[in-house]
Amino acid sequence: MNVKLESSWLELLADQFEQPYFKKIKDFLLKEKAEKKVIYPPGHKIFAALDLCPVSNTKVVIIGQDPYHNPGQAHGLSFSVPENIQPPPSLLNIFKELESDLGIPTPKHGNLEKWAKQGVLLLNASLTVRANSPTSHSDIGWQQFTDTIIARLSQKKKNLVFLLWGSYAIKKKNLITKTNEHLILEAPHPSPLSAYRGFFGCRHFSQTNTFLRSKNIPEIDWNP
């Protein structure tokens, strides 16, 4: 199966593209398209999180659940939106914590590509969604693919930081191998429904940079 993807990820995941579950994903998306369903993000952005953050560059992993399902929001990076789109509430809460933790003023946009290019893998568990229908593609096979990414990345590399926000992301902790070689930080989801239960004040951004510095790895400039 021909998949266009950044070369280091193509190598790490090469065996996955011929698996029955991946054929199921492709067939499902083709069927949705034939039925004139609108799918987010656009096709060329489905693997944007991987394309912008090669394996060798990856330092931090932030796990989301599902792409945004409203028009124009999803562009392949968890929590991120393109520059001309109003940042959703969870992203605004991430920016509030960033300001509290590191003194970085809330930006005027919600595009986190700068994070990705520095080595922050902004990975959603599902890489597509039907318009206006949250979690509509959560059972088509994407989770097997993204679970493989988490497991293999944690096995291949050391000194990664995993930021697990919310119960869904925290459940992914059992996929992380060599846990003694990585930093795993957990907090409630930044959603307005849960941010006040411990996401605010978690100081994950400063903790990440402290850990990276301790391993002589360049820290992240969290200013989007």
Side-chain angles (χ1 to χ4, degrees):
M1 187 180 298
N2 183 26
V3 175
K4 292 181 179 178
L5 187 61
E6 189 276 330
S7 60
S8 64
W9 289 107
L10 206 52
E11 181 181 349
L12 187 67
L13 303 167
D15 60 323
Q16 297 300 295
F17 305 118
E18 301 301 331
Q19 298 291 328
Y21 85 86
F22 203 89
K23 184 178 185 303
K24 177 188 168 190
I25 294 171
K26 186 177 181 183
D27 290 346
F28 182 92
L29 295 177
L30 289 172
K31 181 173 179 284
E32 294 261 282
K33 193 172 181 180
E35 294 172 355
K36 307 297 185 187
K37 303 281 177 58
V38 176
I39 298 170
Y40 300 135
H44 68 287
K45 293 285 190 180
I46 289 174
F47 298 109
L50 305 177
D51 290 334
L52 290 171
C53 186
V55 174
S56 60
N57 288 8
T58 303
K59 307 172 186 178
V60 182
V61 181
I62 299 179
I63 300 170
Q65 184 169 358
D66 213 30
Y68 295 123
H69 55 85
N70 292 327
Q73 290 182 315
H75 67 147
L77 306 176
S78 62
F79 295 102
S80 178
V81 291
E83 292 200 12
N84 58 340
I85 299 294
Q86 172 67 27
S90 292
L91 182 53
L92 288 174
N93 283 339
I94 289 170
F95 289 155
K96 285 180 184 176
E97 174 59 21
L98 197 56
E99 183 165 14
S100 170
D101 188 8
L102 292 174
I104 294 173
T106 297
K108 292 182 171 61
H109 66 85
N111 189 335
L112 304 181
E113 287 183 3
K114 184 179 169 188
W115 291 7
K117 291 174 181 176
Q118 294 180 79
V120 181
L121 181 63
L122 295 160
L123 183 69
N124 278 318
S126 296
L127 297 188
T128 58
V129 70
R130 190 183 309 131
N132 307 311
S133 184
T135 72
S136 50
H137 290 182
S138 63
D139 61 354
I140 70 170
W142 277 130
Q143 290 191 43
Q144 185 169 344
F145 182 68
T146 54
D147 283 357
T148 301
I149 290 172
I150 295 166
R152 290 190 179 176
L153 190 63
S154 66
Q155 179 64 37
K156 181 178 178 65
K157 301 203 65 171
K158 58 183 180 179
N159 301 327
L160 292 171
V161 182
F162 290 88
L163 303 184
L164 307 180
W165 298 337
S167 58
Y168 183 88
I170 290 169
K171 288 174 184 173
K172 301 292 184 181
K173 185 166 66 170
N174 64 359
L175 300 168
I176 301 170
T177 60
K178 303 193 301 185
T179 52
N180 59 322
E181 295 185 10
H182 304 301
L183 177 65
I184 303 170
L185 299 175
E186 302 175 21
H189 195 277
S191 158
L193 298 174
S194 55
Y196 288 94
R197 296 206 299 263
F199 179 78
F200 291 141
C202 70
R203 301 185 67 85
H204 280 186
F205 304 104
S206 59
Q207 288 189 66
T208 294
N209 280 352
T210 297
F211 176 80
L212 294 174
R213 282 197 304 272
S214 76
K215 303 298 182 182
N216 296 312
I217 298 169
E219 60 189 71
I220 305 297
D221 174 6
W222 292 106
N223 199 351

